[in-house]
Amino acid sequence: QSNLSPNYTFGSFIEGDCNRLARSAGFAVANKPGITSFNPLMVYGGVGLGKTHLVQAIGNEIKNSLEDKFVLYVSSEKFVNQFMDAIKEGSVKSFTNFYMQVDVLIIDDIQFFAGKGRTQEMFFHIFNHLHQNKRQIIMTSDCAPKDLMGLEERLISRFKWGLTADLQMPDFETRIAIIKKKMQSEGIMIPNNVVEYLAYTVDTNVRELEGVLISLIAHASLNRVEINLSLAKTIMKNIVKDIETEVSIDFIQKTCSEYYGIKLEDLKAKTRKKEIVLARQVAMYFSKEFTNHSLKSIGYHFGGRDHSTVIHAVQAVNDLMETDNSFRNAVNEQKKQFKIRSY
Ligand code: ADP
Ligand code: MG
């Protein structure tokens, strides 16, 4: 009994810059458990970023290729409860013996040990025994070892003996790949614009991304409707609060001021500094392209300027895009986000 879920494999774990180190260290450990210098392997990261998936993938890989190894996955919470029961029943000895027999111990969410002194002491002994005998220890935590509050220093220092690798939120391209993988395993088709919309808007964690996807599929099938963008938007509004589904002038101004590194007020002010003028013209250009505001209204939103100023800005941006490659690429890159939002 290893407590592993067979769905969590390396095959279903999409690789990206967000997880490359953790994933490849995990893969190395899976091929040579206990022998590499990655012992212990400590994977940390925020909620829903794939810690449990990755460490179980390591466990499954070992179990499938090295059948004689005793692989055990346990949540820290379960470990604590088992230990408490063992104390109550006077069976601490057999509890300890059991854990000392394991070849690969995967212990999830170690931050749960915080403040639990007796558990930490017990785990310290088990850890030492396993490590001395070249058994593999794999742990996860919701923060870096140095930030683990309420854990004894001697444990934390041991956690740093091997390799510590973090998981980050996947970028846009990786999110697309994760959604596509999920569609494949669910055997479901989702139009590309919906895939892009979801990948773009859900930037919190992978679990939430999957949650939105599952709701979308469920709604479509229960109501016998197609999966399309308007359904996706409705679901996003119900699940994720404060989502901006429309491209407003405000939003464009905010995005452009961040992109060009200038103050929001300056976009609307009278300043004629070159960088500011350009950022302002680009923002006007996007406002013309992605909103339904009239030239007059756009001018009004940029510090009460005349509609002819807006015409001039659009013309200036078009001209510069024709002559300046890097400017054109930058504008097109920015356009992508507005396009996805305004689908
Ligand atoms: P954590 O343990 O960090 O809270 P999980 O491992 O439970 O996160 O991951 C949450 C969900 O996201 C799981 O369903 C998992 O399969 C999925 N997931 C996370 N990262 C990836 C990834 N890189 N590729 C594919 N699925 C992922
Ligand atoms: Mg987890």
Side-chain angles (χ1 to χ4, degrees):
Q1 258 308 352
S2 60
N3 299 328
L4 292 165
S5 151
N7 297 328
Y8 289 143
T9 60
F10 277 106
S12 60
F13 191 77
I14 303 291
E15 182 176 354
D17 288 340
C18 54
N19 60 33
R20 207 175 308 284
L21 174 67
R23 190 187 176 283
S24 50
F27 203 70
V29 163
N31 286 307
K32 286 188 158 90
I35 312 175
T36 68
S37 53
F38 307 153
N39 198 16
L41 175 65
M42 169 72 134
V43 176
Y44 74 93
V47 68
L49 292 182
K51 300 182 294 294
T52 298
H53 187 143
L54 179 59
V55 295
Q56 289 218 16
I58 303 171
N60 276 315
E61 184 74 22
I62 298 172
K63 228 179 77 176
N64 293 335
S65 57
L66 306 164
E67 279 160 19
D68 57 324
K69 296 273 182 212
F70 179 11
V71 179
L72 183 70
Y73 168 88
V74 65
S75 70
S76 298
E77 186 172 6
K78 188 169 169 192
F79 184 90
V80 171
N81 291 335
Q82 284 177 344
F83 179 51
M84 294 303 165
D85 288 347
I87 293 174
K88 254 188 253 157
E89 292 160 12
S91 56
V92 171
K93 191 103 192 125
S94 66
F95 172 87
T96 321
N97 286 342
F98 173 75
Y99 276 97
M100 287 186 173
Q101 279 168 37
V102 174
D103 291 308
V104 179
L105 178 62
I106 304 170
I107 184 147
D108 206 355
D109 290 317
I110 204 90
Q111 75 277 356
F112 193 76
F113 282 179
K116 302 188 170 66
R118 278 207 287 180
T119 304
Q120 288 181 39
E121 169 143 28
M122 172 51 60
F123 184 65
F124 182 73
H125 290 303
I126 292 169
F127 183 104
N128 288 340
H129 177 89
L130 294 179
H131 197 271
Q132 273 157 22
N133 289 283
K134 294 209 179 330
R135 317 282 181 74
Q136 182 69 45
I137 302 154
I138 301 164
M139 293 175 292
T140 77
S141 151
D142 68 354
C143 61
K146 66 173 172 56
D147 299 324
L148 276 167
M149 305 294 246
L151 255 76
E152 287 175 29
E153 205 42 54
R154 58 178 185 167
L155 261 183
I156 293 181
S157 82
R158 270 164 178 71
F159 293 173
K160 296 178 191 158
W161 280 357
L163 182 83
T164 301
D166 68 328
L167 295 178
Q168 299 281 339
M169 180 60 185
D171 60 19
F172 178 69
E173 306 297 332
T174 312
R175 297 200 300 252
I176 297 235
I178 290 173
I179 296 173
K180 293 207 161 146
K181 186 86 201 175
K182 197 81 188 164
M183 286 160 52
Q184 199 185 25
S185 68
E186 302 279 323
I188 197 143
M189 285 299 293
I190 296 178
N192 256 329
N193 62 352
V194 175
V195 173
E196 286 185 2
Y197 173 74
L198 295 180
Y200 186 72
T201 39
V202 186
D203 57 5
T204 43
N205 66 61
V206 183
R207 187 173 300 143
E208 182 153 296
L209 184 62
E210 288 187 346
V212 173
L213 199 58
I214 290 164
S215 309
L216 184 62
I217 295 169
H219 272 77
S221 101
L222 288 173
N223 301 318
R224 294 173 206 284
V225 292
E226 268 180 63
I227 295 181
N228 61 23
L229 206 59
S230 90
L231 182 64
K233 283 191 176 183
T234 309
I235 285 175
M236 282 299 290
K237 273 194 194 138
N238 292 338
I239 297 183
V240 185
K241 280 179 292 183
D242 295 335
I243 177 110
E244 296 193 56
T245 49
E246 246 136 77
V247 179
S248 61
I249 293 184
D250 272 357
F251 178 71
I252 289 172
Q253 288 177 332
K254 218 168 70 195
T255 312
C256 287
S257 71
E258 274 167 26
Y259 188 88
Y260 288 97
I262 62 177
K263 291 203 202 88
L264 192 53
E265 306 94 80
D266 285 344
L267 276 188
K268 304 177 200 171
K270 300 277 175 231
T271 327
R272 287 174 186 275
K273 267 197 199 151
K274 211 174 149 208
E275 325 83 82
I276 294 174
V277 171
L278 184 64
R280 187 186 294 137
Q281 287 178 329
V282 171
M284 286 180 173
Y285 168 92
F286 286 141
S287 301
K288 176 76 185 74
E289 179 147 349
F290 293 105
T291 74
N292 293 322
H293 286 272
S294 64
L295 295 170
K296 197 173 161 201
S297 166
I298 294 173
Y300 172 80
H301 281 86
F302 284 83
R305 288 178 160 83
D306 203 53
H307 80 282
S308 62
T309 312
V310 184
I311 295 178
H312 175 72
V314 173
Q315 191 56 52
V317 170
N318 276 325
D319 288 348
L320 194 57
M321 280 178 55
E322 264 180 38
T323 54
D324 184 334
N325 276 336
S326 70
F327 176 74
R328 181 173 61 242
N329 291 339
V331 169
N332 285 336
E333 197 53 41
Q334 268 193 296
K335 249 187 208 184
K336 267 196 218 154
Q337 348 171 4
F338 296 130
K339 246 188 222 152
I340 290 166
R341 266 182 200 267
S342 62
Y343 273 148

